[in-house]
Amino acid sequence: MSKRHTSLKDLATELGVSISTVSRALKNHPDISPELTRKIQQLANERHYTPNPLAMGLLRQQTKMIGVIVPDINTHFYSSIISGIEKVAKEHGYFIVISSSNESMQKEIESVDNLLNSRVEGLIVCLSQETDEFSHFHKLIENEIPLVFFDRVCEDLSVPAVLANGEEATQMITRHFYENGCRRIAYISGPGHLNISRNRKIGYLKGLEECHIDFDPQLLVNCNLSIEEARLATQQLLQLPNPPDAIFGMNDTIAFAAMIEIKKQGFKIPDDISLAGFTDEFHSIVVDPPLTSVSHPTFEMGKAAAELFFELLVKGENISKRIVLPIDLVVRQSSIKN
Amino acid sequence: MSKRHTSLKDLATELGVSISTVSRALKNHPDISPELTRKIQQLANERHYTPNPLAMGLLRQQTKMIGVIVPDINTHFYSSIISGIEKVAKEHGYFIVISSSNESMQKEIESVDNLLNSRVEGLIVCLSQETDEFSHFHKLIENEIPLVFFDRVCEDLSVPAVLANGEEATQMITRHFYENGCRRIAYISGPGHLNISRNRKIGYLKGLEECHIDFDPQLLVNCNLSIEEARLATQQLLQLPNPPDAIFGMNDTIAFAAMIEIKKQGFKIPDDISLAGFTDEFHSIVVDPPLTSVSHPTFEMGKAAAELFFELLVKGENISKRIVLPIDLVVRQSSIKN
DNA sequence: AAGCTTTGCGAAAAGCTTTGCGGAAATTTT
DNA sequence: AAAATTTCCGCAAAGCTTTTCGCAAAGCTT
């Protein structure tokens, strides 16, 4: 079995002084004489003493842990956000415990419970796709336990959140398509109860209006965020009597699934159909043709979420702040018709 | 400030009994009378009592935390492995604390220190690319703190590990190329001090021998695992007076970088050059042409690593086991010449 | 030299749980 | 009725740290 870490008691016994003396000496308390302080600190160094975080936690009633719930850890989008969170958490001496909801509301509820039972000091969460009911967050709000949402938020709850400006993004994409000669611009959206779906749809409609294109309901299709449904949605668009000349998907899964399906059906990108999506740089470059995409500021988003979290933690009050991060439209070959 | 969780003491005070009575009642100890037990359990439910893990940790000298160190959380490969680890950790009532070394040995050392100071009960680690010296693991080994490596291991240290059969994989790829008419098969390898680089090189050489192809040193190039170096390495191969008719890269970064570079230089895949890599399914499908690749059993790898960890944890002894997971060669269009 | 302040350190409590041991009351036995 | 069990529960310690309070000795004042 692994040996115990050295404790204050160990040092105290070895030096024949009391525990409190050792404790004070290690933080240079003036009550302790210089020589004794030196002796104690030296031994502490030799024994590699570090305070036991469990004992400290018990004393201070804090665990230095933040719970993070994501729909799926297994994508660049979330893992990059997690990196951002982890960075600022570490700077504050905190560490993060990650729990994946797998896009299931049931698992999300369990995660909240588990993390709370593990005494995390608060939660940073991105709602699962299924989540349309929010009572599992009530106890956090009532007890003023820090909680911040990112990307997917609940509009009804006054919870601080950080999100990307999806509305502006989709509006930009729509306009970009228009300026490149597209007139039948289709949009594959996600589930309607997700705020990100709604916002992006709004931007899409605004963009159409701006370009004086009438909205054609046939060109707006919904899907959940799975590859299969995204492919089906694409098929549906391609089979239209008057198919679109541009498609954009609301996240990278959809965009890539659409790309596969479009190619499979023999359409050329971008000549027959322009394509754009929301995704990160690496994947956009590696596909053929390189994908025009909105680059999410994922790392920044994680950082912002964590900073918001710590603001909550120290201030205590429930500052209901909402941070909207700008996005970037990176134009690549998939949307430039020859 | 967030309210305190209810403790045994709270329940005891409210019911006018002692703390120990409450504690025993909650675990149905026969010493406590049935009615009292019932009453206590009911109140505990109402108050949502859960034992304070900090107090338990202090008592039992365990934190139920596993430290996980990965070179980079931000890739599918590692995040998928983490998912696997997390699954079995959760089954055992443990949670994981992730730390990223960013491929830096210095940060790896810091991570080890930090995690140990946080009193994790052991470590599951994948070495950073830079790591060529291992003294920071000595204290773990000496103190018999559970430690398991995955994917990248140190051959000199007798530490249990789980890895994929890279040797067999590269041998299979080489043979596959040969069977599809390739005779000048190039291999872009990683840093030589990494066991995975070495193993895969061995497989490559074995494959060549099996196919009676003489090894041409010009066709074996090294690079670190960055996109830039991988592109340079590819350029180097393509500029050869007698360029290769097949290339495979030792991980997905290399494979994709090679793909980009090959296309950029105007070569056709697979007609001019066959290509294969190590990567996961989604990315292999989404690129053009779909990439022949070795699929790493990432999730299984994570699970196996965690199971090995718990074996160590309960048995206490340092069973120096090495688990080698089979890999799968999935043939797609990038390696089938017409 | 008697009283006062300062200096330097120890005891103990709090934070929470488990568990061996002891003890009082209730019950059974003789 | 006295003795012996049982039954049911509380005390206290251990695990580790911080911090308030207190105490003794040394130094100081007059």
PDB file of all heavy atoms in Angstrom, chain B residues 36-59:
ATOM      1  N   LEU B  36     -36.262   3.755  15.635  1.00  0.00           N
ATOM      2  CA  LEU B  36     -35.328   4.861  15.563  1.00  0.00           C
ATOM      3  C   LEU B  36     -34.629   4.888  14.213  1.00  0.00           C
ATOM      4  O   LEU B  36     -34.473   5.938  13.588  1.00  0.00           O
ATOM      5  CB  LEU B  36     -34.298   4.755  16.695  1.00  0.00           C
ATOM      6  CG  LEU B  36     -33.351   5.951  16.838  1.00  0.00           C
ATOM      7  CD1 LEU B  36     -34.128   7.245  16.919  1.00  0.00           C
ATOM      8  CD2 LEU B  36     -32.468   5.787  18.048  1.00  0.00           C
ATOM      9  N   THR B  37     -34.239   3.714  13.791  1.00  0.00           N
ATOM     10  CA  THR B  37     -33.605   3.609  12.480  1.00  0.00           C
ATOM     11  C   THR B  37     -34.492   4.210  11.401  1.00  0.00           C
ATOM     12  O   THR B  37     -34.050   5.006  10.573  1.00  0.00           O
ATOM     13  CB  THR B  37     -33.327   2.127  12.151  1.00  0.00           C
ATOM     14  OG1 THR B  37     -32.431   1.592  13.114  1.00  0.00           O
ATOM     15  CG2 THR B  37     -32.723   1.991  10.768  1.00  0.00           C
ATOM     16  N   ARG B  38     -35.758   3.832  11.457  1.00  0.00           N
ATOM     17  CA  ARG B  38     -36.701   4.327  10.452  1.00  0.00           C
ATOM     18  C   ARG B  38     -36.790   5.848  10.502  1.00  0.00           C
ATOM     19  O   ARG B  38     -36.730   6.534   9.478  1.00  0.00           O
ATOM     20  CB  ARG B  38     -38.075   3.709  10.704  1.00  0.00           C
ATOM     21  CG  ARG B  38     -39.016   3.749   9.512  1.00  0.00           C
ATOM     22  CD  ARG B  38     -40.430   3.442   9.935  1.00  0.00           C
ATOM     23  NE  ARG B  38     -40.829   4.138  11.163  1.00  0.00           N
ATOM     24  CZ  ARG B  38     -41.064   5.425  11.227  1.00  0.00           C
ATOM     25  NH1 ARG B  38     -40.913   6.180  10.158  1.00  0.00           N
ATOM     26  NH2 ARG B  38     -41.414   5.991  12.376  1.00  0.00           N
ATOM     27  N   LYS B  39     -36.912   6.353  11.691  1.00  0.00           N
ATOM     28  CA  LYS B  39     -37.060   7.798  11.851  1.00  0.00           C
ATOM     29  C   LYS B  39     -35.841   8.548  11.305  1.00  0.00           C
ATOM     30  O   LYS B  39     -35.955   9.548  10.595  1.00  0.00           O
ATOM     31  CB  LYS B  39     -37.243   8.131  13.352  1.00  0.00           C
ATOM     32  CG  LYS B  39     -38.471   8.963  13.642  1.00  0.00           C
ATOM     33  CD  LYS B  39     -38.780   9.077  15.129  1.00  0.00           C
ATOM     34  CE  LYS B  39     -37.657   9.571  15.998  1.00  0.00           C
ATOM     35  NZ  LYS B  39     -38.018   9.651  17.439  1.00  0.00           N
ATOM     36  N   ILE B  40     -34.687   8.021  11.670  1.00  0.00           N
ATOM     37  CA  ILE B  40     -33.446   8.656  11.218  1.00  0.00           C
ATOM     38  C   ILE B  40     -33.329   8.619   9.703  1.00  0.00           C
ATOM     39  O   ILE B  40     -33.013   9.611   9.049  1.00  0.00           O
ATOM     40  CB  ILE B  40     -32.228   7.972  11.878  1.00  0.00           C
ATOM     41  CG1 ILE B  40     -32.213   8.280  13.385  1.00  0.00           C
ATOM     42  CG2 ILE B  40     -30.947   8.440  11.226  1.00  0.00           C
ATOM     43  CD1 ILE B  40     -31.094   7.614  14.132  1.00  0.00           C
ATOM     44  N   GLN B  41     -33.610   7.444   9.143  1.00  0.00           N
ATOM     45  CA  GLN B  41     -33.472   7.313   7.695  1.00  0.00           C
ATOM     46  C   GLN B  41     -34.440   8.247   6.965  1.00  0.00           C
ATOM     47  O   GLN B  41     -34.115   8.799   5.914  1.00  0.00           O
ATOM     48  CB  GLN B  41     -33.697   5.867   7.276  1.00  0.00           C
ATOM     49  CG  GLN B  41     -32.566   4.951   7.739  1.00  0.00           C
ATOM     50  CD  GLN B  41     -32.693   3.556   7.196  1.00  0.00           C
ATOM     51  OE1 GLN B  41     -33.720   3.186   6.624  1.00  0.00           O
ATOM     52  NE2 GLN B  41     -31.649   2.757   7.382  1.00  0.00           N
ATOM     53  N   GLN B  42     -35.611   8.393   7.554  1.00  0.00           N
ATOM     54  CA  GLN B  42     -36.590   9.264   6.910  1.00  0.00           C
ATOM     55  C   GLN B  42     -36.099  10.709   6.882  1.00  0.00           C
ATOM     56  O   GLN B  42     -36.117  11.369   5.839  1.00  0.00           O
ATOM     57  CB  GLN B  42     -37.919   9.174   7.651  1.00  0.00           C
ATOM     58  CG  GLN B  42     -39.047   9.894   6.927  1.00  0.00           C
ATOM     59  CD  GLN B  42     -40.315   9.908   7.769  1.00  0.00           C
ATOM     60  OE1 GLN B  42     -40.546   8.974   8.546  1.00  0.00           O
ATOM     61  NE2 GLN B  42     -41.102  10.956   7.614  1.00  0.00           N
ATOM     62  N   LEU B  43     -35.634  11.155   8.016  1.00  0.00           N
ATOM     63  CA  LEU B  43     -35.137  12.536   8.065  1.00  0.00           C
ATOM     64  C   LEU B  43     -33.944  12.723   7.126  1.00  0.00           C
ATOM     65  O   LEU B  43     -33.828  13.741   6.442  1.00  0.00           O
ATOM     66  CB  LEU B  43     -34.731  12.909   9.497  1.00  0.00           C
ATOM     67  CG  LEU B  43     -34.369  14.385   9.653  1.00  0.00           C
ATOM     68  CD1 LEU B  43     -35.588  15.272   9.486  1.00  0.00           C
ATOM     69  CD2 LEU B  43     -33.699  14.660  10.995  1.00  0.00           C
ATOM     70  N   ALA B  44     -33.093  11.707   7.099  1.00  0.00           N
ATOM     71  CA  ALA B  44     -31.925  11.785   6.223  1.00  0.00           C
ATOM     72  C   ALA B  44     -32.359  11.956   4.774  1.00  0.00           C
ATOM     73  O   ALA B  44     -31.784  12.735   4.018  1.00  0.00           O
ATOM     74  CB  ALA B  44     -31.066  10.534   6.381  1.00  0.00           C
ATOM     75  N   ASN B  45     -33.400  11.240   4.417  1.00  0.00           N
ATOM     76  CA  ASN B  45     -33.919  11.380   3.059  1.00  0.00           C
ATOM     77  C   ASN B  45     -34.442  12.779   2.802  1.00  0.00           C
ATOM     78  O   ASN B  45     -34.133  13.394   1.789  1.00  0.00           O
ATOM     79  CB  ASN B  45     -35.037  10.362   2.818  1.00  0.00           C
ATOM     80  CG  ASN B  45     -34.484   9.066   2.279  1.00  0.00           C
ATOM     81  OD1 ASN B  45     -33.480   9.072   1.577  1.00  0.00           O
ATOM     82  ND2 ASN B  45     -35.117   7.964   2.614  1.00  0.00           N
ATOM     83  N   GLU B  46     -35.244  13.256   3.722  1.00  0.00           N
ATOM     84  CA  GLU B  46     -35.813  14.589   3.549  1.00  0.00           C
ATOM     85  C   GLU B  46     -34.729  15.644   3.383  1.00  0.00           C
ATOM     86  O   GLU B  46     -34.849  16.551   2.573  1.00  0.00           O
ATOM     87  CB  GLU B  46     -36.669  14.950   4.773  1.00  0.00           C
ATOM     88  CG  GLU B  46     -38.050  14.329   4.764  1.00  0.00           C
ATOM     89  CD  GLU B  46     -38.774  14.612   6.069  1.00  0.00           C
ATOM     90  OE1 GLU B  46     -38.379  15.582   6.745  1.00  0.00           O
ATOM     91  OE2 GLU B  46     -39.709  13.866   6.410  1.00  0.00           O
ATOM     92  N   ARG B  47     -33.696  15.496   4.156  1.00  0.00           N
ATOM     93  CA  ARG B  47     -32.627  16.495   4.123  1.00  0.00           C
ATOM     94  C   ARG B  47     -31.595  16.211   3.044  1.00  0.00           C
ATOM     95  O   ARG B  47     -30.595  16.902   2.936  1.00  0.00           O
ATOM     96  CB  ARG B  47     -31.925  16.536   5.491  1.00  0.00           C
ATOM     97  CG  ARG B  47     -32.795  16.955   6.644  1.00  0.00           C
ATOM     98  CD  ARG B  47     -32.929  18.462   6.731  1.00  0.00           C
ATOM     99  NE  ARG B  47     -33.738  18.837   7.863  1.00  0.00           N
ATOM    100  CZ  ARG B  47     -35.073  18.827   7.856  1.00  0.00           C
ATOM    101  NH1 ARG B  47     -35.713  18.441   6.760  1.00  0.00           N
ATOM    102  NH2 ARG B  47     -35.758  19.180   8.923  1.00  0.00           N
ATOM    103  N   HIS B  48     -31.842  15.157   2.271  1.00  0.00           N
ATOM    104  CA  HIS B  48     -30.901  14.763   1.220  1.00  0.00           C
ATOM    105  C   HIS B  48     -29.496  14.575   1.751  1.00  0.00           C
ATOM    106  O   HIS B  48     -28.525  15.107   1.185  1.00  0.00           O
ATOM    107  CB  HIS B  48     -30.883  15.814   0.106  1.00  0.00           C
ATOM    108  CG  HIS B  48     -32.196  15.987  -0.570  1.00  0.00           C
ATOM    109  ND1 HIS B  48     -32.989  17.077  -0.359  1.00  0.00           N
ATOM    110  CD2 HIS B  48     -32.872  15.199  -1.422  1.00  0.00           C
ATOM    111  CE1 HIS B  48     -34.106  16.961  -1.068  1.00  0.00           C
ATOM    112  NE2 HIS B  48     -34.052  15.821  -1.718  1.00  0.00           N
ATOM    113  N   TYR B  49     -29.417  13.838   2.815  1.00  0.00           N
ATOM    114  CA  TYR B  49     -28.095  13.612   3.383  1.00  0.00           C
ATOM    115  C   TYR B  49     -27.252  12.717   2.482  1.00  0.00           C
ATOM    116  O   TYR B  49     -27.719  11.692   1.996  1.00  0.00           O
ATOM    117  CB  TYR B  49     -28.196  12.971   4.765  1.00  0.00           C
ATOM    118  CG  TYR B  49     -26.854  12.494   5.277  1.00  0.00           C
ATOM    119  CD1 TYR B  49     -25.958  13.398   5.825  1.00  0.00           C
ATOM    120  CD2 TYR B  49     -26.472  11.165   5.143  1.00  0.00           C
ATOM    121  CE1 TYR B  49     -24.717  12.982   6.255  1.00  0.00           C
ATOM    122  CE2 TYR B  49     -25.231  10.733   5.578  1.00  0.00           C
ATOM    123  CZ  TYR B  49     -24.354  11.648   6.135  1.00  0.00           C
ATOM    124  OH  TYR B  49     -23.126  11.236   6.566  1.00  0.00           O
ATOM    125  N   THR B  50     -26.028  13.131   2.256  1.00  0.00           N
ATOM    126  CA  THR B  50     -25.034  12.226   1.673  1.00  0.00           C
ATOM    127  C   THR B  50     -23.738  12.427   2.451  1.00  0.00           C
ATOM    128  O   THR B  50     -23.420  13.550   2.843  1.00  0.00           O
ATOM    129  CB  THR B  50     -24.749  12.524   0.190  1.00  0.00           C
ATOM    130  OG1 THR B  50     -24.439  13.898   0.041  1.00  0.00           O
ATOM    131  CG2 THR B  50     -25.928  12.168  -0.691  1.00  0.00           C
ATOM    132  N   PRO B  51     -23.023  11.349   2.682  1.00  0.00           N
ATOM    133  CA  PRO B  51     -21.795  11.454   3.472  1.00  0.00           C
ATOM    134  C   PRO B  51     -20.833  12.441   2.824  1.00  0.00           C
ATOM    135  O   PRO B  51     -20.739  12.513   1.608  1.00  0.00           O
ATOM    136  CB  PRO B  51     -21.209  10.041   3.437  1.00  0.00           C
ATOM    137  CG  PRO B  51     -22.318   9.161   3.025  1.00  0.00           C
ATOM    138  CD  PRO B  51     -23.258   9.993   2.218  1.00  0.00           C
ATOM    139  N   ASN B  52     -20.143  13.168   3.621  1.00  0.00           N
ATOM    140  CA  ASN B  52     -19.158  14.119   3.133  1.00  0.00           C
ATOM    141  C   ASN B  52     -17.898  13.380   2.679  1.00  0.00           C
ATOM    142  O   ASN B  52     -17.211  12.762   3.486  1.00  0.00           O
ATOM    143  CB  ASN B  52     -18.817  15.099   4.249  1.00  0.00           C
ATOM    144  CG  ASN B  52     -17.891  16.194   3.779  1.00  0.00           C
ATOM    145  OD1 ASN B  52     -16.990  15.936   3.007  1.00  0.00           O
ATOM    146  ND2 ASN B  52     -18.140  17.395   4.251  1.00  0.00           N
ATOM    147  N   PRO B  53     -17.630  13.425   1.381  1.00  0.00           N
ATOM    148  CA  PRO B  53     -16.487  12.660   0.868  1.00  0.00           C
ATOM    149  C   PRO B  53     -15.154  13.125   1.453  1.00  0.00           C
ATOM    150  O   PRO B  53     -14.205  12.348   1.525  1.00  0.00           O
ATOM    151  CB  PRO B  53     -16.540  12.882  -0.634  1.00  0.00           C
ATOM    152  CG  PRO B  53     -17.498  13.974  -0.878  1.00  0.00           C
ATOM    153  CD  PRO B  53     -18.324  14.165   0.343  1.00  0.00           C
ATOM    154  N   LEU B  54     -15.076  14.374   1.843  1.00  0.00           N
ATOM    155  CA  LEU B  54     -13.827  14.853   2.430  1.00  0.00           C
ATOM    156  C   LEU B  54     -13.570  14.165   3.759  1.00  0.00           C
ATOM    157  O   LEU B  54     -12.459  13.701   4.034  1.00  0.00           O
ATOM    158  CB  LEU B  54     -13.895  16.362   2.646  1.00  0.00           C
ATOM    159  CG  LEU B  54     -13.395  17.231   1.511  1.00  0.00           C
ATOM    160  CD1 LEU B  54     -14.218  17.017   0.263  1.00  0.00           C
ATOM    161  CD2 LEU B  54     -13.404  18.686   1.897  1.00  0.00           C
ATOM    162  N   ALA B  55     -14.604  14.098   4.566  1.00  0.00           N
ATOM    163  CA  ALA B  55     -14.447  13.444   5.860  1.00  0.00           C
ATOM    164  C   ALA B  55     -14.109  11.967   5.674  1.00  0.00           C
ATOM    165  O   ALA B  55     -13.235  11.424   6.345  1.00  0.00           O
ATOM    166  CB  ALA B  55     -15.728  13.592   6.673  1.00  0.00           C
ATOM    167  N   MET B  56     -14.808  11.346   4.733  1.00  0.00           N
ATOM    168  CA  MET B  56     -14.529   9.940   4.462  1.00  0.00           C
ATOM    169  C   MET B  56     -13.110   9.755   3.966  1.00  0.00           C
ATOM    170  O   MET B  56     -12.413   8.811   4.352  1.00  0.00           O
ATOM    171  CB  MET B  56     -15.510   9.426   3.396  1.00  0.00           C
ATOM    172  CG  MET B  56     -16.941   9.376   3.857  1.00  0.00           C
ATOM    173  SD  MET B  56     -17.151   8.139   5.126  1.00  0.00           S
ATOM    174  CE  MET B  56     -16.982   6.659   4.131  1.00  0.00           C
ATOM    175  N   GLY B  57     -12.698  10.644   3.106  1.00  0.00           N
ATOM    176  CA  GLY B  57     -11.358  10.557   2.560  1.00  0.00           C
ATOM    177  C   GLY B  57     -10.316  10.672   3.664  1.00  0.00           C
ATOM    178  O   GLY B  57      -9.348   9.919   3.702  1.00  0.00           O
ATOM    179  N   LEU B  58     -10.564  11.592   4.550  1.00  0.00           N
ATOM    180  CA  LEU B  58      -9.639  11.792   5.654  1.00  0.00           C
ATOM    181  C   LEU B  58      -9.567  10.527   6.515  1.00  0.00           C
ATOM    182  O   LEU B  58      -8.499  10.077   6.919  1.00  0.00           O
ATOM    183  CB  LEU B  58     -10.147  12.957   6.504  1.00  0.00           C
ATOM    184  CG  LEU B  58      -9.125  13.769   7.276  1.00  0.00           C
ATOM    185  CD1 LEU B  58      -7.981  14.167   6.370  1.00  0.00           C
ATOM    186  CD2 LEU B  58      -9.792  15.002   7.862  1.00  0.00           C
ATOM    187  N   LEU B  59     -10.710   9.973   6.743  1.00  0.00           N
ATOM    188  CA  LEU B  59     -10.787   8.795   7.598  1.00  0.00           C
ATOM    189  C   LEU B  59     -10.120   7.589   6.947  1.00  0.00           C
ATOM    190  O   LEU B  59      -9.299   6.917   7.554  1.00  0.00           O
ATOM    191  CB  LEU B  59     -12.260   8.487   7.869  1.00  0.00           C
ATOM    192  CG  LEU B  59     -12.550   7.479   8.945  1.00  0.00           C
ATOM    193  CD1 LEU B  59     -12.160   8.028  10.298  1.00  0.00           C
ATOM    194  CD2 LEU B  59     -14.031   7.122   8.945  1.00  0.00           C
TER     195      LEU B  59
END
